Amino acid sequence: MTSPNPPLAIVVKGWPRLSETFIAQELVALEDSGHEFDIWSLRYPTDKKRHPLHERINARVRYLPEYLYEDPERVWRSRAAAQALPGYAEAYRIWRADLVRDLTHNRIRRFGQACVLAAELPEGTQGLYAHFMHTPSSVARYAAIMRGLPWSFAAHAKDIWTSDEWEKREKLSADTHGAVFGATCTAFGAEHLREMADDPTRIDLVYHGLDLTRFPAPPKRPMRDTGSPFHMMSVGRLVEKKGFDRLIAAFAQLPADMDWHWTHIGGGDLKDALQVQAKEAGVADRITWRGACDQPEVIEAMRAADLFVLPSRIAKDGDRDGLPNVLMEAASQMLPILSTPVSAIPEFIDSGTHGLLVEDDPAKLTAAIRDLASDPARAQAYATAAYDRLVGEFGMAPGIARLSSRLTMLMQGD
């Protein structure tokens, strides 16, 4: 059990979340490394299920008011307490400058949450660490300034590519109370953030990697007969950047005599629209929408499938994937992978060696599916190579060791 006054406060968007196993995996590993912390969540959970990983975390979870009007007494009490802190005036000045450039309810809410966080942080807190560079980092930054504490962040994908340049630069500059360090999970993202930082050494490349002790050994897959049904699956939120609309369009172009089925795992706002698209394309009866699943259910589906497909693309607002953990999870079960060369995906999948990467064009996706379905030996060779790369280069331990060292130095003021 974590101590009543742990030295580290970790700020997250929501807790727990099924779509963010990489955060849960990291926090379990940090506890195993001896770190004690509280988890401060900006939102209450909405998922009905939890991963087994979540049950392994001992840290106390504390929820900030998701909407300020829902708990006015707590907010005003905290604001009064925050105003008495030595760094409040500076935090207020910085927030006002941010508000001029981002005049939104979201920006106002983040300052209110920061007041609550700063007021309620236990005595003995030595540093803050936020997951995601956008709103959680804003809350952590304002609260850290109020309390005179160092702060840091982990950046992932959407938070990098949809944040304004001015805000990224200020969160990465000592002159504007920026983070002591930032960790990010792709070389693609690290290069971009280093260009934004006053000192490139603020940014560490820390791959999430995979804790293979949590996964079963890959199943022994017999060579698939080309005449047998071809089972595809995907895991990902039903949002624009995942590209599932392109995939459904690709399914509509598969040969009429091809026996195939696709299973999707995950929730998302585009579910209704995609189901309508599948019906209009005449492929709805070949698709199973399973919704949100816990990790054991995901792994079970991977072990039963013939191909993992993730047709990631860049959304209209610039949002894109980083290096999705589900690709490594598929590789852990020696499941062949078809994806796209977006963002950091090529850092793990060398197309033609560890899987296939094609543009997010329906015709190209169709051709790749046909090729992999008709050549089981080649698909199996890709899966074996991806598994070997996962084991050899993408284990979790090196990244956790680096992150643990950085957090220790943060709290020691080094």
Side-chain angles (χ1 to χ4, degrees):
M1 182 64 65
T2 190
S3 66
N5 297 311
L8 181 64
I10 295 181
V11 182
V12 297
K13 285 192 301 182
W15 187 266
R17 300 183 105 185
L18 286 174
S19 62
E20 294 175 358
T21 53
F22 57 93
I23 296 178
Q25 172 183 267
E26 176 189 288
L27 299 192
V28 167
L30 287 176
E31 283 193 336
D32 289 346
S33 299
H35 288 276
E36 293 186 329
F37 48 83
D38 281 346
I39 298 170
W40 294 80
S41 178
L42 307 188
R43 299 174 183 169
Y44 289 93
T46 56
D47 294 324
K48 296 179 181 179
K49 296 183 178 183
R50 295 166 66 98
H51 292 308
L53 264 179
H54 294 129
E55 309 301 332
R56 291 180 54 188
I57 296 172
N58 295 315
R60 174 176 49 184
V61 182
R62 305 181 67 168
Y63 291 95
L64 296 170
E66 187 167 348
Y67 297 100
L68 305 183
Y69 66 83
E70 293 178 340
D71 197 350
E73 290 186 11
R74 184 183 179 196
V75 172
W76 287 113
R77 182 174 64 250
S78 296
R79 173 81 184 277
Q83 286 175 317
L85 295 171
Y88 178 84
E90 178 66 0
Y92 184 77
R93 182 191 69 79
I94 287 176
W95 171 69
R96 290 287 298 181
D98 292 348
L99 185 64
V100 168
R101 294 169 290 185
D102 178 31
L103 188 57
T104 62
H105 290 296
N106 181 67
R107 184 66 60 174
I108 295 169
R109 183 162 66 248
R110 299 316 170 201
F111 190 75
Q113 289 179 314
C115 287
V116 176
L117 177 59
E120 295 183 0
L121 279 175
E123 290 300 322
T125 301
Q126 297 172 17
L128 294 88
Y129 171 57
H131 260 286
F132 294 102
M133 194 181 183
H134 49 10
T135 47
S137 284
S138 293
V139 173
R141 179 185 178 216
Y142 299 144
I145 296 169
M146 292 179 201
R147 290 288 296 262
L149 294 171
W151 72 282
S152 57
F153 67 84
H156 302 289
K158 179 178 182 178
D159 51 324
I160 298 175
W161 306 112
T162 62
S163 293
D164 290 325
E165 183 173 317
W166 64 264
E167 187 160 19
K168 286 185 281 193
R169 289 190 182 280
E170 291 183 12
K171 285 176 176 174
L172 288 168
S173 171
D175 293 339
T176 47
H177 301 278
V180 172
F181 78 90
T184 190
C185 52
T186 68
F188 187 71
E191 181 180 3
H192 174 76
L193 293 178
R194 284 169 182 154
E195 292 172 354
M196 301 282 111
D198 62 346
D199 178 358
T201 63
R202 286 183 189 276
I203 301 301
D204 275 354
L205 170 59
V206 179
Y207 284 117
H208 295 309
L210 213 62
D211 178 5
L212 290 170
T213 64
R214 296 191 293 106
F215 295 86
K220 294 181 178 180
R221 296 180 180 271
M223 189 66 67
R224 180 181 155 270
D225 187 295
T226 55
S228 62
F230 189 60
H231 295 285
M232 296 172 279
M233 72 163 296
S234 302
V235 181
R237 289 180 299 126
L238 296 169
V239 295
E240 183 185 2
K241 71 176 179 181
K242 297 297 184 180
F244 293 125
D245 57 332
R246 307 285 173 86
L247 184 58
I248 291 171
F251 290 153
Q253 299 178 32
L254 289 171
D257 61 351
M258 182 175 171
D259 187 359
W260 63 272
H261 194 89
W262 178 57
T263 297
H264 176 269
I265 292 176
D269 295 340
L270 296 181
K271 181 177 180 180
D272 291 345
L274 291 171
Q275 288 182 336
V276 169
Q277 180 190 353
K279 185 175 181 179
E280 292 177 347
V283 297
D285 60 341
R286 293 178 178 267
I287 296 175
T288 298
W289 305 91
R290 289 191 56 181
C293 293
D294 61 29
Q295 197 159 56
E297 292 171 318
V298 171
I299 297 304
E300 181 183 12
M302 286 178 170
R303 293 170 71 86
D306 299 308
L307 180 67
F308 186 85
V309 189
L310 189 67
S312 301
R313 62 188 176 102
I314 300 174
K316 293 183 182 68
D317 65 356
D319 190 13
R320 69 200 75 178
D321 275 328
L323 176 51
N325 261 34
V326 288
L327 294 178
M328 288 182 276
E329 291 172 5
S332 79
Q333 301 307 301
M334 230 175 267
L335 177 60
I337 294 168
L338 168 61
S339 191
T340 58
V342 167
S343 190
I345 292 173
E347 293 176 36
F348 179 58
I349 300 294
D350 228 352
S351 188
T353 301
H354 311 102
L356 276 187
L357 303 182
V358 300
E359 298 300 324
D360 61 312
D361 172 76
K364 292 181 179 179
L365 287 166
T366 301
I369 291 169
R370 291 183 63 180
D371 288 348
L372 291 168
S374 63
D375 194 345
R378 180 159 65 112
Q380 194 170 74
Y382 291 160
T384 300
Y387 177 79
D388 290 344
R389 186 171 204 190
L390 171 67
V391 172
E393 302 176 42
F394 283 84
M396 185 182 65
I400 290 298
R402 178 59 179 163
L403 181 60
S404 176
S405 174
R406 276 288 215 173
L407 289 171
T408 298
M409 290 188 288
L410 173 83
M411 291 181 289
Q412 292 175 346
D414 294 343

